[in-house]
Amino acid sequence: MAAPVWTPTAKQIANARITNFADWLCRHQRAEISDTTDYAALWRWSIEHVEQFWTAIWDYFDLGERATGPALTGDRMPDVHWFPATELNYVEYLFRHAEPDRTAVVEIHEGTETPITLTFADLRTQVAALAQTLRNLGVGRGDRVVGYLTNTAEAVTAFLATASLGAVWAGCGQDYAPAGAAHRFAQLDPHVLVAATGYDYGGRHHDKRQAVEELRGLLPSVQRTILVDRNTGLPDDPHYLSWSDATADTTKPLLTEPVPFDHPLWVVFSSGTTGQPKGLVHGHGGVLLEHLKALAFHFDLAHTDRLFWYTTPSWMMWNFQLSALLLGAGIVCYDGSPTHRHIDTIWRIAAQTNTTVLGTSPGYLLACEKAACAPSDDHDLTMLRTVGVTGAPFPAASAHWVATHVGAGTPAVSITGGTDVVTAFLGGAPTVPTWPGQISCPWLGVAVDAFDDTGVPVREAVGELVVTSPMPSMPVFLWNDTDHQKYRDVYFHTYPGVWRHGDWVTITTDQGIAVHGRSDATLNRNGIRIGSADIYDIVEELPEITEALVIGVERPDGSYWMPMFVVPASGQVIDDDTKNRIRHRLRNEASSRHVPDDIITAPGIPHTRTGKKLEVPIKRILLGHKPTDVADPATIEHFELLDWYAHHATTSMNT
């Protein structure tokens, strides 16, 4: 293994909250751990004593009374239940220990230099006012409220007001067309829609009034729509209620409705590249416990911190970031393009807002590297303690770039998990070094393993990422899956009783983990599995290349074709010399098996609206399927690109 990019100091280890937790376990005779700074020992205890671990999380964070009896019932996943008969409300805990005068939310809009701030007292007042309005509109326990909003304080307030009533929240960004939003929201039969009249992105204002009206027409169950005015004016229609009116009554106290531990908190949706997006339902209690653990122990967040993750309400990282409020920390909501005016916009906002933990994507870091961006030279990032990275595998070169141009004392922590569990399975910890091209460790309470096709654990070899013990934030159910059969088929069909996530990983003997990409898109050269991420890490480092997409196609005649589509950087041409350099780098830095059969210049790489490359749909197109058969246009950025791939498929089959 290469040398660590970052190693914690003895002082950092001693002061980390995860160390305090391990000490607490031993002091209260909850666990026997000989060295409380040994992360591997703490992790092993957490997965070998699952029920005791999550009970300890409850008690360590002083969550109050819980029902007597076992914390976990049931014999085998998915037929398990956490903390049966215990009632709580996520929102109650969010405000319980918050300091009223401390900043809760910092909101920044593209093109606006002055941030909008809400203290915890301000946020509580707004949540209480909106909750009363929703109550007056007939919203109660189990009803659904949906948000067609960008990443703003209003989205945070709307979610918290909904959850305080025991109602169920679902959100999606306004970059979705009305049909795309309706594919998600219509499944829920929502009672109230919260929407904005528009937003700014990429230097242009996007007026969404007509889109909101169209979406309203696609959601016949909606009784009223609450509109946030973005300087475009409200329609003269009694169906609409302005945000200012909906939050005007600041005299009402915030009342939270106690609900069962697994009562639905929100519905988050799969990307829906084919068919209707899956609605994944997570419970109040599971999210509360998981996010407290993840943010306090793995990101070391405290009430003095500020978390800024560049995200959108369409993506589970919006939900994850919001939970920093549970710890009394502040969050930064940015509504705009990450590269508006300049590539370093995210770094500028981080400096401006005194961000201590910043979250972004490997793609953004790579773009900064190619643009010769030097964040630590151009911005005061002395407050920044950690850079979180997710959304795709994180290449080793980018980890070195962060160490050089952000700060050697600022670890770049790669995490991977997903919408399915609204958290990460694998990531970092403040007591564990970070290595280039690897994820440092499994997270506490996550019994991660790598299985071969027969369900046997493998090390130092590519295997399926599995979780062998239950987690509280696994979905309570999938929406409209009344007999739970779809849930079983998606996660437990391959290995009964074991969660199969759909990623290829390699776990080393010392628990470092490499992620190779989705297993349903894995390349297979002569029986050898190859992760597409291993190719992207090398090719996308080249300055001539903006992005790449590699596909493995099993042709009807039994042959195997592995083309790679590349998008040239501005002003670049992918000529024979460039292609030969690509082949040379892949052969020397990976293996000859990683070299594609063809390198093809493409006008763009299609993505879902949450940023995932369309590897499987493009594979199906190359096998002759129509674009509309393999992907829902409403879920895809630049769906028209798929026509180019379809035309290329037809041409290649005729030559």
Side-chain angles (χ1 to χ4, degrees), residues 171-432:
C172 114
Q174 290 195 298
D175 54 333
Y176 275 81
H183 284 168
R184 289 152 172 75
F185 295 160
Q187 300 179 48
L188 308 180
D189 295 319
H191 194 85
V192 172
L193 167 66
V194 184
T197 59
Y199 66 97
D200 295 304
Y201 189 92
R204 184 168 71 88
H205 181 74
H206 299 259
D207 188 333
K208 302 298 289 187
R209 288 175 294 180
Q210 185 58 44
V212 171
E213 179 64 21
E214 185 178 339
L215 176 57
R216 171 192 160 192
L218 295 170
L219 302 174
S221 62
V222 167
Q223 301 298 305
R224 293 291 292 275
T225 298
I226 299 173
L227 270 182
V228 179
D229 185 9
R230 294 293 181 213
N231 302 315
T232 49
L234 298 170
D236 183 16
D237 184 331
H239 170 85
Y240 292 101
L241 177 65
S242 73
W243 178 267
S244 57
D245 288 341
T247 56
D249 185 356
T250 59
T251 64
K252 297 292 190 295
L254 177 61
L255 304 174
T256 58
E257 171 78 8
V259 294
F261 186 91
D262 60 358
H263 181 79
L265 175 65
W266 55 46
V267 182
V268 290
F269 291 93
S270 65
S271 58
T273 52
T274 58
Q276 195 174 51
K278 295 193 302 291
L280 299 124
V281 183
H282 300 109
H284 278 245
V287 169
L288 176 67
L289 292 184
E290 173 60 38
H291 285 185
L292 283 172
K293 176 214 74 177
L295 290 163
F297 297 158
H298 292 280
F299 283 102
D300 209 28
L301 279 184
H303 69 286
T304 53
D305 284 307
R306 189 163 290 167
L307 174 61
F308 169 30
W309 210 290
Y310 180 73
T311 185
T312 163
S314 306
W315 188 25
M316 54 80 42
M317 290 309 299
W318 181 86
N319 308 66
F320 186 81
Q321 173 186 261
L322 190 144
S323 286
L325 299 170
L326 291 167
L327 295 163
I331 62 173
V332 178
C333 296
Y334 173 52
D335 177 19
S337 166
T339 58
H340 178 60
R341 294 183 180 160
H342 194 270
I343 188 71
D344 71 349
T345 292
I346 296 300
W347 305 108
R348 175 178 58 79
I349 293 173
Q352 178 186 4
T353 58
N354 292 321
T355 290
T356 54
V357 177
L358 172 66
T360 185
S361 67
Y364 178 73
L365 295 178
L366 182 59
C368 288
E369 180 182 356
K370 289 187 174 184
C373 181
S376 60
D377 293 342
D378 300 332
H379 305 286
D380 180 4
L381 297 174
T382 53
M383 294 292 291
L384 186 62
R385 189 178 69 243
T386 303
V387 175
V389 189
T390 194
F394 183 43
S398 292
H400 288 296
W401 179 85
V402 171
T404 303
H405 296 287
V406 178
T410 306
V413 178
S414 178
I415 66 173
T416 187
T419 302
D420 319 74
V421 289
V422 77
T423 188
F425 298 123
L426 312 168
T431 57
V432 177

Side-chain angles (χ1 to χ4, degrees), residues 89-96 120-132 134-135 157 159-166 249-257:
N89 188 293
Y90 173 97
V91 179
E92 174 193 352
Y93 294 103
L94 188 141
F95 287 109
R96 190 174 61 161
F120 274 96
D122 296 331
L123 181 60
R124 185 184 186 104
T125 298
Q126 281 206 8
V127 169
L130 183 59
Q132 184 59 47
L134 292 174
R135 197 178 284 114
T157 300
F159 157 66
L160 293 175
T162 300
S164 73
L165 302 173
D249 185 356
T250 59
T251 64
K252 297 292 190 295
L254 177 61
L255 304 174
T256 58
E257 171 78 8

